[in-house]
Each structure stands twice: as structure tokens, then as C-alpha cells.
Amino acid sequence: KGLMSDCTAPRTTTSSRHRHRASFLLINPNNCLAALESLKVCDLLMVVAPVSAHEPSSAVAKCLPTLKALGIPQTLLALRGLDEVKQAKKQEVKKAMLNIVANELQVPTDRIKNLPASSPSEFAEVVRQTFELRSEIPRWRSQRPYVLTHRSEIVADPNDDRFATVIVEGYVRGV
């Protein structure tokens, strides 16, 4: 609820049953550098796609080569608007969307989990699946720790102008 209201702040949810906490970082595909920085700390890439789309938007298509070079983590495809498709065509549409995303990301279709995401119960299933998916840690992350800064501040030392305290809030990965 309210996930899309503020795209600049991460959204966090917890599951006491699975003893997990998940933070959702919304990526603006128009800003490739921000998308790359966000993907560096992600364990899971969730692609939310409307079933009416037969190809990714130009911003997403521009951003994907950069993300592919870094290495794509475990991927979840959440399909919006699948409830508006006739029952006889649903399986065909799901397979077509899965193939589109797999081709764009250049990953095998078995590495992408495909789920509908239109109703509240389907959204709950998507969140449940994010908790149950096992993430694959990229090799480069174990060799190079990484910090994604959400907020930073520099506080000058009142006694000496040559010194300051740097306060950083964000995500640390790879340590």
C-alpha cells in the first residue's frame, strides 16, 4: 500500500513467518546510472510489466545493456492486467511476456519467475515469492564491498576547520 507514492525512498516490509525483511528500491529507467547503482545492491530484480506491452519502453531498452553488463540477479516478472485477458489466452500471454523479458535480459526463461500482479491477493503472492526466492550472490560483490547511499551529511568540526564528520545512511553489501 502506497508503494508508488514516493519513488525516492525505499519501501520495507517484513514477514514474521519467514523472518525476513524486504526493501523495495524503485528504479527510474530514464536514469541509467541510478538504475545501475540500485542493481548493485539488489538480490532480486522485479520487472513489473503490463500485458499490453509487446516490447519494453525505449527508456528500459536503453538501460538494459548496462544492467546486463553488471550481471542480472534472480528475476521475478510481475504481470499487470492479466485479469483482463480472456481465460483461453492467459497462458499464451504469460509465455509471450516471459520470452520478451528473457530476450531483453538475455537470460534463460527458467531463471525468471512469472506471476500475475493485478489483484490484492496476487500482490500478496508476489511479496511472498520475494521472501521465498533464494538469491544468487554475484561473484564481484564478495570481492568488492559496496555502499548505496540513501542520505549523506557532512558536519564540520566546531573546534577545527580542517576536520569534519561524514554521516552516511544506506545499504552496505559484500562485507
Side-chain angles (χ1 to χ4, degrees):
K1 188 173 183 178
L3 181 64
M4 300 299 282
S5 62
D6 180 14
C7 292
T8 60
R11 296 292 181 196
T12 302
T13 185
T14 58
S15 169
S16 57
R17 179 180 175 197
H18 296 284
R19 294 187 188 148
H20 287 291
R21 183 183 71 201
S23 292
F24 295 90
L25 301 171
L26 304 177
I27 297 175
N28 179 358
N30 293 317
N31 187 344
C32 286
L33 184 58
L36 179 64
E37 296 297 314
S38 298
L39 193 66
K40 284 182 180 180
V41 297
C42 291
D43 291 328
L44 172 76
L45 172 64
M46 183 184 304
V47 178
V48 179
V51 294
S52 60
H54 298 293
E55 60 185 37
S57 68
S58 60
V60 171
K62 180 182 158 193
C63 195
L64 284 175
T66 307
L67 301 180
K68 285 186 268 191
L70 181 64
I72 302 293
Q74 179 73 33
T75 306
L76 180 80
L77 173 61
L79 296 174
R80 300 292 312 251
L82 199 57
D83 55 344
E84 297 169 7
V85 177
K86 293 180 183 176
Q87 189 65 33
K89 295 267 187 184
K90 279 188 181 183
Q91 206 56 25
E92 182 182 322
V93 169
K94 284 172 73 172
K95 187 174 181 180
M97 291 302 295
L98 178 64
N99 287 332
I100 289 170
V101 172
N103 287 337
E104 285 297 322
L105 297 176
Q106 295 180 353
V107 296
T109 55
D110 61 342
R111 285 202 51 214
I112 300 174
K113 185 94 172 166
N114 188 1
L115 296 169
S118 295
S119 69
S121 63
E122 291 171 344
F123 277 118
E125 178 65 18
V126 169
V127 171
R128 187 181 72 78
Q129 289 293 330
T130 62
F131 286 124
E132 291 186 357
L133 284 174
R134 299 287 176 231
S135 61
E136 301 168 5
I137 298 173
R139 184 178 300 152
W140 65 265
R141 191 181 290 164
S142 61
Q143 297 167 348
R144 295 178 194 94
Y146 188 81
V147 176
L148 177 67
T149 303
H150 179 65
R151 187 177 77 81
S152 64
E153 182 180 352
I154 299 174
V155 179
D157 187 343
N159 300 327
D160 191 348
D161 291 342
R162 298 177 298 157
F163 296 101
T165 302
V166 177
I167 301 170
V168 179
E169 292 181 19
Y171 299 90
V172 177
R173 299 304 304 245
V175 289

